[in-house]
Amino acid sequence: MKIPSRHGHLGAAWSFMGATAPAVLAALVASHPAQGWVSAPGSAPAATAAAAATAATAATAATAATVATAATTATTATAATKVPTSPPASAKAAPPQSYKASVEAWRKEREDDLRAEEGWLTVAGLFWLKEGENGFGTDPSNAIVLPKGSAPAHAGVFFFKDGKTVIRVEGGAPVILDGKAVHAQEVKPDQPGPPDKLQLNALTMYVIKRGDRFGIRLKDKNSRHRTEFKGLQWFPISESYRVLADWTPYDPPHKIPIANVLGQTEQSTCPGYASFTLKGTSIKLEPLGEPGDKELSFIIRDGTSGKETYGASRFLDTDAPKDGKLLIDFNKAYSPPCAFTEFATCPLPPKQNQMTVRIEAGEKYTPLH
């Protein structure tokens, strides 16, 4: 599994669902204990264990037991290794202008990506395919109901059988693929990818594969989330959250379980772990990535999760390690796609990436839906 982000690993194995996602995520966030999910060395274990047990009970009532376990298991940041040579002395010290400008430029790119015609703010629907015909159009009788006024009432059919999807366009609907009009043809899913992206006026439709399920993801350039987007909120930039971690590779790379709120779990490649000390707490984080990748991607949770930041997780990308070190900049931590659309579901951080320490850096969370 790779994290879907233009800044990091663009994920083929990202799970999407329909309108049930918000309820499950709400239960997950509600169950998040005030002191985080991991007991750092030397912290009070009894209170943390009790809070974690209460959270596990609440999460289990809302979703599958496997998800609750993955989401709420308290763990200890296991590696107490050397303190890395972290740059700054104080979180309140103003960062050098060149560094601050580079982070601000990255943040602008992040917002531009969200606003783009293919950005996450355009996601307008997810429809799981059933065997046989799946009609699409604006009429409510269709299996795939398109936004009002965006297309003909009955624009065509997706015929799905044995893992293959064929589109048949009806009524002269202007469906375009690679600049050519489509009448009837098989459409390729996003796994192994790339998918065939069908254009219909301001809409984009394509097939996604999640486990053994196939669905149609719908994007709309005129989505309300996109047209009404007012920008992101951020913590102040602080070099105290830019740390130089020790890097320990796994030989061979490990497979670690990554769960999501649907109850699905994928075994994902982890090439090693980063260890460092932040605010007096020893931390060990495991990224996702393949050997030789130029970037690594982390799924994390910390003491701000469910409060100032998105409850399920945040993402963080880094360059590949060099000479046994890995530069981690929490000023560039960002929310997952499910923070912006109810038609996406979140991967949950592995238990070793659930931190008690408050990471007051990176992207904050303001609900859009």
Side-chain angles (χ1 to χ4, degrees), residues 54-340:
T54 302
T57 302
T60 303
T63 185
T66 54
V67 178
T69 302
T72 60
T73 302
T75 186
T76 301
T78 54
T81 54
K82 292 183 179 180
V83 178
T85 55
S86 303
S90 170
K92 296 182 180 180
Q97 191 61 33
S98 59
Y99 169 69
K100 182 178 179 181
S102 71
V103 175
E104 288 175 343
W106 180 92
R107 290 179 174 183
K108 181 181 183 302
E109 181 184 2
R110 161 70 173 160
E111 294 198 12
D112 289 346
D113 287 347
L114 286 172
R115 288 190 175 98
E117 291 188 353
E118 285 289 317
W120 287 107
L121 293 173
T122 67
V123 175
L126 186 281
F127 306 89
W128 296 114
L129 294 171
K130 62 178 179 23
E131 290 282 324
E133 293 189 348
N134 300 262
F136 64 94
T138 57
D139 190 280
S141 64
N142 288 289
I144 299 169
V145 181
L146 305 180
K148 185 178 180 180
S150 66
H154 298 278
V157 169
F158 287 102
F159 185 82
F160 178 70
K161 185 175 177 60
D162 298 331
K164 293 186 178 181
T165 307
V166 174
I167 185 175
R168 185 177 71 241
V169 178
E170 298 175 351
V175 178
I176 304 296
L177 175 62
D178 296 331
K180 298 179 180 179
V182 175
H183 302 288
Q185 71 175 74
E186 183 178 345
V187 288
K188 296 179 294 186
D190 65 342
Q191 293 187 37
D196 287 331
K197 295 190 175 183
L198 302 161
Q199 309 295 326
L200 175 56
N201 300 324
L203 306 178
T204 301
M205 299 179 290
Y206 53 100
V207 180
I208 65 169
K209 181 179 183 293
R210 299 295 177 261
D212 58 356
R213 304 178 74 184
F214 290 78
I216 298 295
R217 181 189 297 170
L218 174 68
K219 290 189 174 184
D220 181 3
K221 296 176 184 178
N222 299 323
S223 163
R224 177 179 61 85
H225 289 332
R226 184 185 185 218
T227 58
E228 298 179 3
F229 182 61
K230 293 178 171 51
L232 299 170
Q233 299 296 315
W234 303 88
F235 285 103
I237 297 170
S238 171
E239 277 202 278
S240 62
Y241 289 106
R242 185 174 185 251
V243 299
L244 189 63
D246 291 319
W247 174 254
T248 302
Y250 291 141
D251 187 15
H254 289 186
K255 290 290 185 180
I256 61 175
I258 301 295
N260 64 34
V261 295
L262 287 177
Q264 299 171 324
T265 300
E266 292 189 3
Q267 297 296 319
S268 303
T269 302
C270 173
Y273 66 88
S275 54
F276 56 96
T277 297
L278 185 64
K279 295 183 176 181
T281 300
S282 296
I283 298 171
K284 169 184 171 181
L285 299 178
E286 290 188 323
L288 305 182
E290 300 292 337
D293 281 354
K294 294 182 179 180
E295 289 186 341
L296 300 177
S297 295
F298 293 84
I299 310 171
I300 61 172
R301 185 184 287 128
D302 66 90
T304 69
S305 300
K307 303 178 186 72
E308 298 96 329
T309 63
Y310 191 64
S313 67
R314 283 195 289 172
F315 295 164
L316 179 63
D317 305 322
T318 72
D319 290 334
K322 183 178 181 181
D323 299 329
K325 299 291 182 181
L326 183 70
L327 183 62
I328 300 176
D329 193 346
F330 290 103
N331 291 292
K332 296 180 179 180
Y334 59 98
S335 300
C338 54
F340 304 98

Side-chain angles (χ1 to χ4, degrees), residues 17-23 126 342-343:
M17 67 185 287
T20 57
L126 186 281
E342 60 267 44
F343 302 112

